[in-house]
């Protein structure tokens, strides 16, 4: 379809509606009789609850109910889901402490909810919440991941032996230990990967609506995986899935934070059941900092063994990762994505020891890349450190260890089997795109302005799509217009645009005649949801399969209508034609014919609607090379990213405009963590970065124009040949920016800089030399 064909940079169809204020976000939901809820949360990171007095709050103006854990029990509501299948070091099953959405005896972080006030207005609910009196007995808290395993650390769960949540050894320990015995050189480094938060543009929120007549619940909330979340939420409510509907509408960002069920989700449904009216809860920004699930936060001890020529022999990693106060879905990423530690290299022996620990902090959940950026950061920093220690150029050291294209598919030393990739070519293209040869002159020019200039490179790879499924439906109505339906839920990625583009290209339909539906479990026949850079590979392939089914049925109808053999029909640009007749039929005309059973071949069902579910059998592995140049002011430590270039292999590029947007956003989040973003708690567990006055985020002016070049090597793991793109920018940016900072400060003897590399931290490093 020309301008809308696959590979064209089609502007987003969603944008005109969104920028004109036509978005349908959670706070836009207004139901008849709707009232408002406010959560009463613990002011302590750790305390026992001696008593809760709600009498005064219950009598306050406009209050309809004050709900506590006793009400949840009375109505038979269960706890939030806690994952199983995890192990302890001795191989025994990991304990699964309960995760209540209303707490009655012991609070374990600042976000724990002890009561929920429902009133006619938000202001009335806020006023009444101040009247809830809770008698707490404060307890010692542990907030730092590095402290959680100390013998004297306060225990988050007193019945457990310590704060260890689960342990996962990955790889061949014996083979790796043997590699280190034969090493000529061993590089060692400890990395503290700090805690960050998603700070999505749209805060979390939920509207619960209970219909007593049908014993049916409807929840309006931004959530990445509506169908799996319905499966998790229904048992909490004590109803079959058919009695629960989840509607997401538009979602103003998530990055993984809005993937599993939050405590407020069943809470508004319980509240609606109790008061008999719809109940809305919307987080404030302050509440979001205090209670949103947070991310990253681990301490990694890494060792890289090399021979005398710089060839990698083995990698050994000890990882202590934060869980937060409660174990919840998504934690498995600590080991499922650890394979990223292998990088783009032939390292034959790798062993990773993962220990996940509880602390009195926000629960940790998936966040853009979900373990991949952390792993890429570790291996790419280790390569630069090893290069420095052995006196080998870091670019040359990478060349000596890259996996070659002819070795694909390649089984790494740690869990992953790469499908395709041309890693050295990526680097060569990126070096040219970044004008690496001109860096020396640019560095000299920067010095004249009292600036230190650094060059950082990362050649990274990640796992995407995995062996999951996704559904798609192409629904023709009687007029021939089309509705596209999928379970892949967008949070700003541009799903509507790329899926319309794909279907319109294959069927010859104009995008203006196509309606797009997502995020409603009552309208979508099957869905798994969005996450892990899977949508283009899985949902895209499902739509491709559905178009093939449409074309096959349309061909049969066209042949019957034109009274010719199917083999005589040609299909191009949405039109069936034959050299044996001057007649033609397009897909929409055939859809109108298909609505009349009397015009169809014998035993053919009416309608042209088709569904497909694509089952992925293997992950794909997007990869690329990022090159960053920074300037650091000698007098102030202020950092400026002055140049940035990316060569990415995401397989077949469906829409370069969308791809560039995803890479830009990912780079901002990766660079933001390295340079400024940081969640911090004091010793008592109080968050000290609880607003935008304390938590720094990058702005558009913090970045130069980003040069992006695609080097697509299509993957055989799906019929489109696409690889994931949503998280690639973050995976590559963290190590590239970090390597550039260290390079700029190398003349001061700096070998490593912990994140966030704030201006103050850099200034102090320069003063200490």
């Amino acid at each position: 379809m020309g301008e809308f064909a696959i590979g064209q940079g089609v502007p987003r169809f969603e944008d005109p509606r969104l920028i004109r204020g036509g978005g349908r976000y959670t706070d836009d939901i207004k139901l008849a009789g709707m009232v408002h809820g406010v959560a009463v949360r613990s002011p302590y990171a750790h305390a026992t609850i001696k008593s809760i007095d709600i009498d005064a709050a219950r009598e306050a103006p406009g209050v309809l109910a004050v709900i506590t854990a006793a009400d949840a029990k009375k109505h038979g509501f269960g706890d939030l889901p806690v994952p199983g299948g995890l192990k302890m070091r001795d191989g025994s099953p990991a304990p699964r402490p309960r995760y209540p959405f209303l707490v009655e005896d012991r609070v374990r972080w600042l976000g724990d909810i002890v009561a929920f006030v429902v009133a006619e207005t938000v202001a009335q609910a806020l006023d009444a919440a101040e009247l809830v009196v809770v008698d707490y007995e404060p307890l010692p808290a542990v907030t730092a991941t590095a402290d959680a395993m100390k013998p004297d650390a306060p225990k988050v769960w007193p019945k457990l032996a310590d704060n260890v949540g689960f342990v996962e050894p990955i790889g061949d320990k014996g083979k790796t230990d043997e590699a280190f015995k034969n090493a000529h050189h061993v590089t060692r480094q400890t990395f503290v990967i700090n805690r960050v938060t998603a700070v999505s543009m749209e805060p979390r929120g939920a509207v619960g609506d209970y219909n007593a007549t049908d014993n049916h619940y409807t929840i309006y909330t931004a959530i990445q995986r509506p169908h799996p979340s319905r499966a998790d939420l229904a048992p909490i409510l004590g109803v079959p899935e058919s009695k629960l509907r989840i509607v997401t509408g538009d979602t103003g960002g998530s990055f993984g934070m809005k993937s599993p069920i939050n405590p407020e989700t069943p809470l508004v449904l319980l509240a609606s059941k109790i008061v008999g009216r719809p109940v809305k809860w919307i987080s404030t920004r302050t509440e979001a900092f205090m209670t949103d699930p947070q991310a990253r936060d681990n301490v990694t001890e890494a060792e890289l063994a090399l021979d005398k020529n710089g060839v990698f022999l083995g990698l050994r990693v000890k990882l202590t990762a934060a869980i937060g106060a409660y174990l919840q879905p998504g934690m498995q990423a600590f080991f499922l994505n650890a394979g990223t530690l292998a990088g783009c290299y032939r390292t034959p022996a790798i062993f990773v020891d993962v220990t996940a620990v509880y602390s009195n902090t926000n629960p940790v959940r998936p966040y853009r890349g979900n373990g991949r950026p952390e792993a890429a950061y570790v291996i790419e920093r280790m390569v630069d450190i090893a290069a420095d220690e052995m006196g080998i150029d870091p670019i040359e050291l990478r060349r000596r260890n890259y996996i070659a294209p002819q070795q694909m598919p390649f089984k790494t030393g740690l869990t992953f089997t790469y499908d395709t990739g041309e890693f050295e070519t990526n680097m060569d293209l990126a070096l040219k795109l970044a004008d690496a040869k001109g860096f020396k002159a640019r560095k000299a020019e920067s010095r004249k302005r009292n600036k230190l200039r650094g060059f950082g490179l990362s050649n990274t790879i990640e796992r995407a799509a995995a062996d999951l499924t996704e559904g798609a439906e192409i629904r023709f109505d009687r007029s021939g217009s089309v509705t596209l339906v999928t379970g892949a839920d967008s949070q700003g990625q541009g799903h509507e645009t790329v899926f319309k583009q794909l279907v319109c290209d294959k069927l010859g339909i104009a995008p203006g005649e196509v309606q797009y539906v997502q995020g409603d479990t009552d309208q979508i026949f099957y869905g798994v949801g969005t996450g892990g850079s899977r949508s283009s590979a899985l949902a895209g392939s499902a739509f491709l399969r559905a178009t093939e089914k449409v074309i096959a049925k349309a061909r049969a109808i066209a042949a019957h209508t034109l009274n010719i053999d199917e083999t005589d029909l040609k299909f191009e640009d949405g039109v069936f034609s034959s050299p044996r007749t001057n007649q033609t039929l397009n897909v929409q005309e055939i859809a109108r014919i298909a609505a009349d059973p009397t015009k169809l071949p014998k035993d053919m069902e009416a309608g042209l609607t088709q569904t497909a579910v694509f089952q992925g059998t293997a992950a794909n592995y997007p990869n690329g090379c990022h090159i960053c140049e920074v300037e650091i002011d000698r007098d102030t430590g202020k950092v400026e990213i002055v140049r940035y270039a990316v060569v990415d292999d995401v397989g077949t590029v469906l829409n370069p405009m969308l791809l560039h947007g995803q890479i830009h956003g990912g780079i901002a989040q990766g660079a933001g963590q390295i340079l400024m973003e940081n969640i911090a708690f004091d010793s008592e567990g109080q968050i000290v970065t609880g607003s935008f006055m304390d938590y720094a985020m990058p702005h558009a002016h913090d970045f130069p124009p980003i040069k992006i070049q695609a080097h697509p090597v299509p993957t055989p793991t799906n019929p489109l040949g696409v690889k994931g793109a949503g998280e690639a920018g973050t995976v590559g940016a963290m190590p590239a920016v970090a390597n550039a900072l260290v390079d700029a400060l190398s003349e001061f003897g700096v070998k490593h800089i912990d994140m966030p590399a704030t201006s103050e931290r850099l200034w102090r490093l320069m003063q200490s030399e």
Side-chain angles (χ1 to χ4, degrees):
M1 281 292 288
E3 62 180 312
F4 301 113
I6 290 174
Q8 296 297 314
V10 178
R12 291 176 18 137
F13 299 123
E14 302 96 315
D15 286 351
R17 173 175 63 86
L18 295 174
I19 63 178
R20 292 170 183 163
R24 297 179 294 277
Y25 299 93
T26 304
D27 200 27
D28 293 319
I29 301 298
K30 294 177 175 60
L31 303 179
M34 188 173 70
V35 293
H36 302 270
V38 167
V40 180
R41 303 180 187 271
S42 168
Y44 299 98
H46 200 193
T48 56
I49 299 174
K50 300 175 72 175
S51 65
I52 302 177
D53 185 351
I54 62 173
D55 290 344
R58 198 180 305 175
E59 299 302 320
V63 171
L64 302 172
V66 181
I67 300 168
T68 65
D71 297 296
K73 287 183 178 180
K74 176 183 175 182
H75 289 274
F77 277 49
D79 294 333
L80 298 181
V82 176
L86 301 172
K87 303 289 185 181
M88 301 301 284
R89 190 162 297 282
D90 62 2
S92 62
R96 300 172 62 197
R98 58 187 293 253
Y99 188 177
F101 64 88
L102 275 169
V103 179
E104 59 182 333
D105 54 357
R106 190 185 191 101
V107 293
R108 291 177 168 83
W109 66 301
L110 293 175
D112 263 334
I113 304 172
V114 298
F116 192 66
V117 179
V118 182
E120 295 286 353
T121 69
V122 175
Q124 289 172 330
L126 285 167
D127 287 344
E130 296 288 337
L131 301 177
V132 176
V133 179
V134 185
D135 186 3
Y136 294 99
E137 183 178 336
L139 298 169
V142 58
T143 58
T145 299
D147 295 339
M149 291 179 62
K150 292 180 179 178
D152 59 347
K155 289 197 289 187
V156 178
W157 295 93
K159 292 184 179 180
L160 303 187
D162 49 33
N163 286 321
V164 175
F166 64 86
V167 175
E168 185 70 27
I170 316 165
D172 190 327
K173 185 177 187 303
K175 185 178 179 180
T176 305
D177 289 344
E178 188 65 27
F180 275 81
K181 291 179 183 178
N182 299 321
H184 171 77
H185 178 82
V186 176
T187 290
R188 296 180 175 86
Q189 182 65 48
T190 297
F191 302 95
V192 178
I193 296 174
N194 65 323
R195 179 178 285 234
V196 293
T197 189
V199 282
S200 55
M201 186 177 293
E202 177 197 21
R204 290 187 300 116
V207 178
D209 187 12
Y210 175 69
N211 184 326
T213 302
D214 298 330
N215 189 32
H216 187 279
Y217 296 88
T218 301
I219 181 80
Y220 301 86
T221 188
I223 201 162
Q224 289 181 215
R225 305 172 70 229
H227 284 81
S229 294
R230 182 178 65 172
D232 287 339
L233 184 55
I236 299 174
L237 311 179
V239 297
E241 287 188 53
S242 59
K243 293 290 186 180
L244 172 62
R245 178 188 181 194
I246 295 180
V247 182
T248 63
D250 292 311
T251 299
S254 173
F255 316 113
M257 183 266 288
K258 297 171 183 172
S259 48
I261 296 170
N262 287 293
E264 299 84 3
T265 305
L267 190 49
V268 294
L269 293 170
L270 173 62
S272 179
K273 186 173 187 177
I274 289 173
V275 303
R277 295 165 66 179
V279 177
K280 176 188 282 190
W281 167 82
I282 298 293
S283 172
T284 65
R285 185 60 68 182
T286 298
E287 194 174 15
F289 274 108
M290 292 178 59
T291 68
D292 281 354
Q294 294 170 354
R296 312 291 193 221
D297 193 355
N298 65 65
V299 179
T300 299
E301 300 170 38
E303 299 173 288
L304 180 64
L306 306 91
D307 70 10
K308 63 181 180 180
N309 296 315
V311 174
F312 302 162
L313 302 176
L315 177 67
R316 198 158 49 196
V317 174
K318 181 180 179 183
L319 173 63
T320 303
I323 292 174
Y326 295 101
L327 183 63
Q328 55 192 294
M331 304 306 297
Q332 294 91 332
F334 286 145
F335 54 87
L336 290 177
N337 289 326
T340 303
L341 282 163
C344 301
Y345 312 111
R346 299 186 307 271
T347 315
I350 307 175
F351 179 72
V352 183
D353 188 289
V354 179
T355 302
V357 296
Y358 291 107
S359 59
N360 297 110
T361 60
N362 303 46
V364 171
R365 283 188 180 172
Y367 174 63
R368 199 165 192 169
N370 197 15
R372 306 171 186 86
E374 302 95 308
Y377 169 78
V378 169
I379 183 59
E380 289 299 291
R381 285 292 300 122
M382 289 295 286
V383 174
D384 265 31
I385 295 169
D388 179 66
E389 291 176 351
M390 296 187 71
I392 303 173
D393 181 86
I395 293 173
E396 174 58 27
L397 186 58
R398 287 177 170 85
R399 289 194 194 281
R400 296 181 188 181
N401 289 281
Y402 277 139
I403 301 162
Q406 58 268 27
Q407 293 176 289
M408 298 293 181
F410 184 86
K411 178 70 175 73
T412 72
L414 189 69
T415 70
F416 289 170
T417 298
Y418 297 154
D419 51 350
T420 58
E422 298 177 358
F423 308 139
E424 188 170 8
T425 300
N426 287 341
M427 185 175 71
D428 289 336
L429 291 171
L431 290 170
K432 183 178 180 180
L433 185 66
D435 184 23
K437 291 181 179 179
F439 173 73
K440 185 176 180 180
R442 293 192 295 273
K443 185 178 180 71
E445 189 277 330
S446 294
R447 190 176 295 278
K448 293 177 182 178
R449 295 182 286 105
N450 204 34
K451 302 288 181 70
L452 301 170
R453 196 176 190 107
F455 181 97
L457 179 147
S458 76
N459 214 142
T460 48
I461 188 166
E462 57 158 332
R463 184 183 72 139
D467 51 347
L468 298 172
T469 63
E470 191 51 81
E473 179 178 6
I474 301 174
R475 186 186 300 162
F476 282 86
D477 59 32
R478 291 176 178 272
S479 70
S481 62
V482 181
T483 299
L484 304 185
V485 181
T486 180
D489 208 59
S490 173
Q491 302 95 50
Q493 297 95 327
H495 288 178
E496 178 179 346
T497 298
V498 76
F499 295 145
K500 280 187 177 181
Q501 190 175 349
L502 192 158
V503 172
C504 291
D505 182 34
K506 295 298 181 182
L507 298 182
I509 302 169
E513 298 173 334
V514 180
Q515 176 74 14
Y516 180 76
V517 174
Q518 66 164 28
D520 187 334
T521 56
D522 273 12
Q523 292 194 56
I524 299 166
F525 78 103
Y526 180 88
V528 174
T530 297
S533 298
R534 73 180 64 152
S535 295
S536 60
L538 300 182
S541 295
F543 272 117
L544 179 63
R545 292 278 170 83
T547 65
E548 292 169 351
K549 291 182 178 181
V550 168
I551 292 169
K553 185 171 183 178
R555 182 182 297 275
I557 297 172
H560 177 76
T561 304
L562 300 176
N563 196 28
I564 60 175
D565 193 271
E566 287 187 35
T567 58
D568 291 332
L569 281 173
K570 177 183 178 183
F571 181 69
E572 186 175 358
D573 292 333
V575 177
F576 287 95
S577 62
S578 170
R580 298 180 58 185
T581 175
N582 290 327
Q583 293 177 293
T584 63
L585 287 171
N586 63 38
V587 170
Q588 289 171 297
E589 289 171 331
I590 294 171
R592 289 192 285 271
I593 294 170
D596 185 350
T598 64
K599 296 181 179 179
L600 300 180
K602 185 179 180 181
D603 298 328
M604 178 180 282
E605 293 182 355
L608 197 55
T609 293
Q610 296 291 335
T611 65
V613 175
F614 178 76
Q615 171 68 59
T617 57
N620 60 68
Y621 292 87
N623 57 88
C625 185
H626 289 226
I627 295 179
C628 174
E629 288 186 31
V630 300
E631 281 188 339
I632 302 174
D633 189 284
R634 281 179 174 270
D635 295 329
T636 65
K638 178 177 172 57
V639 179
E640 183 181 358
I641 298 175
V642 290
R643 293 171 70 96
Y644 206 105
V646 182
V647 171
D648 251 327
D649 168 17
V650 296
T652 303
V653 177
L654 298 179
N655 184 322
M657 190 177 294
L658 293 181
L659 172 63
H660 291 183
Q662 287 292 295
I663 293 174
H664 285 180
I667 289 170
Q669 286 180 283
Q673 176 155 11
I674 295 297
L675 295 175
M676 61 189 74
E677 295 188 51
N678 187 51
I679 288 288
F681 299 91
D682 66 17
S683 60
E684 295 181 350
Q686 298 295 323
I687 189 168
V688 296
T689 50
S691 74
F692 287 129
M693 294 293 290
D694 315 295
Y695 188 91
M697 287 183 63
H699 295 73
H701 61 70
D702 291 314
F703 297 92
I706 298 173
K707 295 181 178 179
I708 300 174
Q709 179 178 331
H711 179 59
V713 182
T715 176
T717 62
N718 64 75
L720 287 168
V722 299
K723 302 175 184 177
E727 292 153 314
T730 307
V731 174
M734 283 178 60
V737 176
N739 285 341
L741 291 172
V742 174
D743 182 60
L745 293 171
S746 59
E747 64 185 73
F748 290 89
V750 173
K751 305 294 184 183
H752 180 68
I753 304 166
D754 280 328
M755 59 183 82
T758 60
S759 296
E760 179 189 4
R761 178 171 284 177
L762 300 183
W763 180 84
R764 291 188 182 280
L765 283 172
M766 290 187 286
Q767 306 313 305
S768 64
E769 297 298 326

